[in-house]
Amino acid sequence: MYILGIHNCYDSGAVLFKDGECIFAINEERLSRIKLDGEFPNKAIQACLDFAGISLNEVDVVSYAWHYRFPYEEHLHDYVKRALEIAEGGEEAKRIMLERIKIEVERSVPRREQFEKWAKEKGVTQKVEFYDHHHAHAASAYYTSPFDEALVFTLDAAGSFRSGTVSIGKGNKLEEISCNYTWDSLGFFYGQITDMLGFKPHRHEGKITGLAAHGNPAKCLPIMREMIYAKDGKVCAKVGKYYKPFFWQQTDELKVVLREFTREDIAAAVQRHTEEVISQYVKYYVDKFGINKVACAGGIFANVRVNQCVREVPGVDDLYIFPHMGDGGLSAGACLLSAVKRDLGRWRVKQVYLGNEESDEKIKVEVNKYNDSIQLTEYSHSDLVNKVIELLKNNTVVGLFQGRMEYGPRALGNRTVLYHCNDKGANDLLNKRLKRTEFMPFAPVTTKEIAPRCFVGWKPNHITTNFMTECYNCTEEMKLNSPAVVHVDGTARPQIVGRDDNPFYYDIISSWYKETGGLCLINTSFNQHEEPIVCTVEDAIESLLGDNVDCVVVNGKYIIRKV
C-alpha cells in the first residue's frame, strides 16, 4: 500500500508511505534550491517515486494536506459566534475581520485548483483524499509520537481558517476538542513583530527568539498583553488597536507605542508573552483532562524556548514535537491520516534520515568534474574519525555529508557543519563564514552518556533532543566547558545522540570528548544563510568552493578539500 502525501504551499513537499511507514520524505526547496519554495512539488514527488522505483500509477492513495476550506459544519456556530464578538469591537475590528476572511479565500483557491489540475492531468483524481490543515498537523504530532495517550496541540499562523487546535489522542483515535480561528493567531502575533523589527515573517522568527535573550521583556510586555491572551482554553486576540491577524500589517497605534523601545526589548517581550500564553493554554487542558503527555505540531512549535516552557507546565510529564513541525511537514500528516484510516498502524518516529543519499560512485564522478579545484582522499573508519578530531583541533570548519538527508528544518548529523565550541570566538567565525546574523546562537551536539553533565533536567527518554526541538538550561560545567553553544540566557538547543542513531557522527563526538575533554561540538546546518540545507554532493562541493567550510567529510569514508 503506497500513500503519497503532497502539500503545495509554504515549504511545499512530498512524502511516500509504504504499508503505514514513511520510506521517503523531502521538501521542494532542497531540490529547487529556493529557500522554503512554495511552488508545486513536482521534483519532490518524482524523488519519492524514484526512491521506491514505482510510477505514479502504482500509488494507491494521494493524500492532499492543503485543503484550506471552511472549517466544517460542526465549527460554524463557534466561528460565527467569535465573528460577532470581534464585530462588537467596532467598525475597524469588523473591517479587519472581514479582510482576513477575504484574503484566506483568495489565497486558498489557486492552490487547490493547482493541485486538482495536476491530479486530473496525472489521472489520479479518484485516488485523492483531502485533509484539513490542522488535522494534518495534529496527526503528524500524535501518530508519530511515542505516546498511547496524549493532549495534542497545533498552533501556527493560519490554515483552513484556523490558527490552532486541541485534540486528545488515545490508541489510534484522534479527537479534536477545541480550536482557534485565524483572527486569534499567535503565529500572526509573533510574525507581525518579526516584520516590525526588520526581519521576514514566516521565515526569520528564529532570529527574534535569539534576539530576545538580549532584551528586557518587562519594558513592553504590557503592550503585548493588550494584543493577545489565553482565556478559558482559547487563544483570544483584541483585534483592532494593536493587533491585526496578518504578517505584514501593523496598526499605526502599535508602531507609535513601540517606537520608544529597543528591538531587543520588543523581541524579549513578544517571546516572553508567547511563552506565557501557551503555558496557560496548555495548563488549562492538562488540568481539565489530567493527561500528562503532550504532542505538538505547527509553526509555533519551531520556537524551542516555547517548547521548553511547555515541558515545564505543571502536570506535563513528557513532550514530543513532530520534527518537521511547520507546514513543511503537512504532507506527512496527511499520509498518516490515510494510513490510520486503513488500519495500517502508526509511524512512531525514531529518526528522520528520510531523504536522498549519494553513492560512492556518484561522489567520485562529481569530484572528478572539479579535479583542478578539489581532491578526494579515502580513509578507514577509525582513521577518518581521528582525522576529523585533528581537523577540529586545528580550527577547521568541517562539513559533514553522509547517508540520507534529514527531513525537516534541523541538520542532525548528515548535512551538518561541525566546529569546536571552546570559546565564544567560534560564533563570530562561523557567522562570517556562513553569512549569518551575529545574535543567532549555534547549537550543541553531544552523546547520551555526556548529556546529563550538560543539560539541567534532561532524561534519556526526552525524544525532543533527538531532533533539536527543545531548549534546556545549561549546567555550570557546560557553560565553562563549551561557551560557544550556550546562549546569553544560559540555554542551549541540543541534539543528543546514541551510537545506534548515527554511528559515525556519534564516534566523532565521543572521540572529541576523549581526546580533548570537550563536552559538545557545534552542530549547525550545512548551508549558507538564506539557502536551503545542502542536498546533493554537488551542493556540498559548491559550499566548499564558496568558502563556507574548509573540507567536506563524505559517507564516513572520504574527505574532499580544495587543492
Side-chain angles (χ1 to χ4, degrees):
M1 168 68 73
Y2 285 106
I3 304 173
L4 177 67
I6 296 172
H7 80 282
N8 63 323
C9 199
Y10 179 80
D11 199 12
S12 65
V15 306
L16 186 66
F17 274 53
K18 181 181 180 181
D19 298 332
E21 291 282 327
C22 184
I23 61 170
F24 193 87
I26 194 167
N27 288 85
E28 193 75 358
E29 65 157 18
R30 303 296 173 88
L31 300 165
S32 69
R33 308 309 300 158
I34 300 169
K35 182 73 171 174
L36 300 173
D37 194 347
E39 292 304 310
F40 196 84
N42 288 303
K43 293 182 175 67
I45 291 168
Q46 192 59 51
C48 289
L49 299 175
D50 289 346
F51 177 84
I54 62 173
S55 69
L56 187 58
N57 290 335
E58 293 172 86
V59 170
D60 298 284
V61 182
V62 177
S63 302
Y64 181 56
W66 194 262
H67 200 189
Y68 223 134
R69 71 176 188 182
F70 191 79
Y72 310 113
E73 185 178 341
E74 63 265 31
H75 292 293
L76 184 58
H77 176 271
D78 287 344
Y79 189 83
V80 173
K81 179 183 176 183
R82 181 61 184 140
L84 291 172
E85 290 172 352
I86 293 170
E88 289 174 358
E91 288 301 314
E92 179 63 7
K94 186 163 65 174
R95 185 194 65 78
I96 293 169
M97 176 189 67
L98 294 173
E99 184 182 1
R100 177 74 249 161
I101 297 172
K102 179 175 179 289
I103 286 176
E104 290 191 45
V105 172
E106 288 175 348
R107 290 182 177 175
S108 67
V109 169
R111 297 292 179 179
R112 174 70 178 264
E113 289 177 344
Q114 182 188 49
F115 172 78
E116 290 179 335
K117 180 182 178 184
W118 171 87
K120 184 177 180 180
E121 290 174 350
K122 299 296 184 180
V124 296
T125 300
Q126 299 306 312
K127 298 180 179 182
V128 171
E129 294 181 355
F130 293 96
Y131 290 107
D132 170 89
H133 180 106
H134 281 277
H135 287 176
H137 272 320
S140 73
Y142 178 62
Y143 290 129
T144 67
S145 79
F147 309 139
D148 292 320
E149 183 179 43
L151 282 169
V152 183
F153 295 89
T154 72
L155 286 168
D156 61 13
S160 298
F161 292 83
R162 300 188 290 171
S163 61
T165 61
V166 185
S167 304
I168 294 176
K170 192 168 186 177
N172 282 348
K173 293 184 178 180
L174 185 60
E175 179 186 2
E176 185 180 306
I177 57 174
S178 181
C179 74
N180 304 302
Y181 303 110
T182 47
W183 306 305
D184 305 299
S185 171
L186 281 166
F188 284 134
F189 164 67
Y190 207 101
Q192 66 178 220
I193 300 298
T194 301
D195 183 57
M196 277 192 66
L197 295 181
F199 301 102
K200 294 178 182 177
H202 222 324
R203 180 177 293 198
H204 292 160
E205 279 79 359
K207 294 187 177 186
I208 303 304
T209 309
L211 185 62
H214 297 265
N216 179 357
K219 291 184 179 180
C220 48
L221 195 55
I223 297 163
M224 304 299 162
R225 289 172 177 160
E226 283 290 306
M227 297 175 73
I228 198 165
Y229 56 93
K231 181 181 179 182
D232 299 330
K234 295 284 188 181
V235 175
C236 301
K238 296 182 180 179
V239 176
K241 183 179 178 182
Y242 292 150
Y243 170 87
K244 284 185 174 183
F246 304 99
F247 285 132
W248 292 280
Q249 295 186 33
Q250 300 92 35
T251 69
D252 292 337
E253 291 91 338
L254 183 65
K255 292 175 182 177
V256 169
V257 76
L258 290 180
R259 194 172 291 162
E260 61 184 280
F261 300 104
T262 66
R263 67 176 189 167
E264 289 81 6
D265 290 342
I266 296 169
V270 73
Q271 176 66 31
R272 175 68 60 82
H273 188 52
T274 302
E275 293 169 11
E276 290 177 350
V277 169
I278 293 175
S279 295
Q280 292 167 21
Y281 184 61
V282 170
K283 187 176 186 302
Y284 175 90
Y285 289 99
V286 170
D287 290 347
K288 183 174 181 177
F289 292 100
I291 298 172
N292 56 24
K293 291 179 172 58
V294 172
C296 305
I300 286 288
F301 297 106
N303 190 312
V304 291
R305 279 286 296 128
V306 162
N307 298 343
Q308 180 181 9
C309 292
V310 171
R311 185 182 291 279
E312 293 170 353
V313 168
V316 173
D317 288 350
D318 206 354
L319 174 68
Y320 172 77
I321 311 294
F322 181 58
H324 206 348
M325 68 293 289
D327 286 356
L330 284 169
S331 48
C335 273
L336 284 156
L337 288 166
S338 291
V340 171
K341 179 179 177 180
R342 290 165 174 77
D343 295 322
L344 293 174
R346 296 170 56 179
W347 169 47
R348 299 190 191 246
V349 167
K350 299 293 191 298
Q351 53 83 19
V352 288
Y353 303 117
L354 296 166
N356 64 296
E357 60 184 329
E358 303 276 52
S359 67
D360 292 351
E361 293 74 18
K362 172 74 181 301
I363 288 160
K364 290 174 182 177
V365 167
E366 291 303 321
V367 168
N368 286 337
K369 293 178 182 177
Y370 299 85
N371 58 8
D372 293 333
S373 305
I374 60 175
Q375 62 183 15
L376 179 145
T377 308
E378 186 169 356
Y379 296 84
S380 68
H381 177 97
S382 59
D383 286 347
L384 185 55
V385 170
N386 291 334
K387 183 63 178 177
V388 172
I389 301 305
E390 178 189 329
L391 291 168
L392 291 168
K393 284 181 179 178
N394 290 318
N395 303 322
T396 305
V397 181
V398 176
L400 191 57
F401 181 100
Q402 59 167 345
R404 296 182 65 182
M405 182 175 62
E406 301 89 338
Y407 179 53
R410 311 282 192 241
L412 300 170
N414 283 9
R415 303 292 188 274
T416 280
V417 172
L418 290 177
Y419 197 68
H420 69 73
C421 43
N422 299 343
D423 61 73
K424 287 286 187 181
N427 289 282
D428 291 336
L429 183 145
L430 284 177
N431 277 319
K432 183 177 180 180
R433 294 287 293 273
L434 300 171
K435 300 175 176 63
R436 296 183 186 168
T437 310
E438 69 280 358
F439 51 78
M440 287 297 293
F442 287 102
V445 59
T446 191
T447 69
K448 289 182 177 179
E449 293 81 4
I450 301 169
R453 294 170 56 184
C454 302
F455 307 109
V456 177
W458 178 82
K459 296 178 182 178
N461 68 324
H462 287 189
I463 193 172
T464 53
T465 56
N466 289 28
F467 310 116
M468 280 184 156
T469 54
E470 184 180 355
C471 266
Y472 285 79
N473 295 325
C474 296
T475 64
E476 292 304 315
E477 180 182 11
M478 171 74 172
K479 293 174 185 176
L480 292 170
N481 181 278
S482 303
V485 290
V486 180
H487 201 25
V488 295
D489 61 0
T491 66
R493 181 197 69 194
Q495 182 191 9
I496 299 172
V497 297
R499 196 169 195 280
D500 290 344
D501 300 324
N502 193 324
F504 181 66
Y505 191 38
Y506 174 94
D507 288 347
I508 291 172
I509 303 156
S510 181
S511 296
W512 175 256
Y513 170 69
K514 290 173 184 175
E515 286 284 321
T516 70
L519 297 175
C520 303
L521 285 167
I522 288 174
N523 163 25
T524 191
S525 55
F526 194 168
N527 65 295
Q528 183 174 292
H529 185 50
E530 292 299 305
E531 290 183 356
I533 292 173
V534 300
C535 177
T536 64
V537 70
E538 298 100 306
D539 299 332
I541 291 169
E542 289 299 320
S543 190
L544 170 66
L545 295 174
D547 204 34
N548 299 139
V549 295
D550 296 313
C551 67
V552 183
V553 177
V554 184
N555 281 3
K557 296 180 181 179
Y558 312 108
I559 294 181
I560 302 173
R561 297 183 181 87
K562 286 185 279 190
V563 175

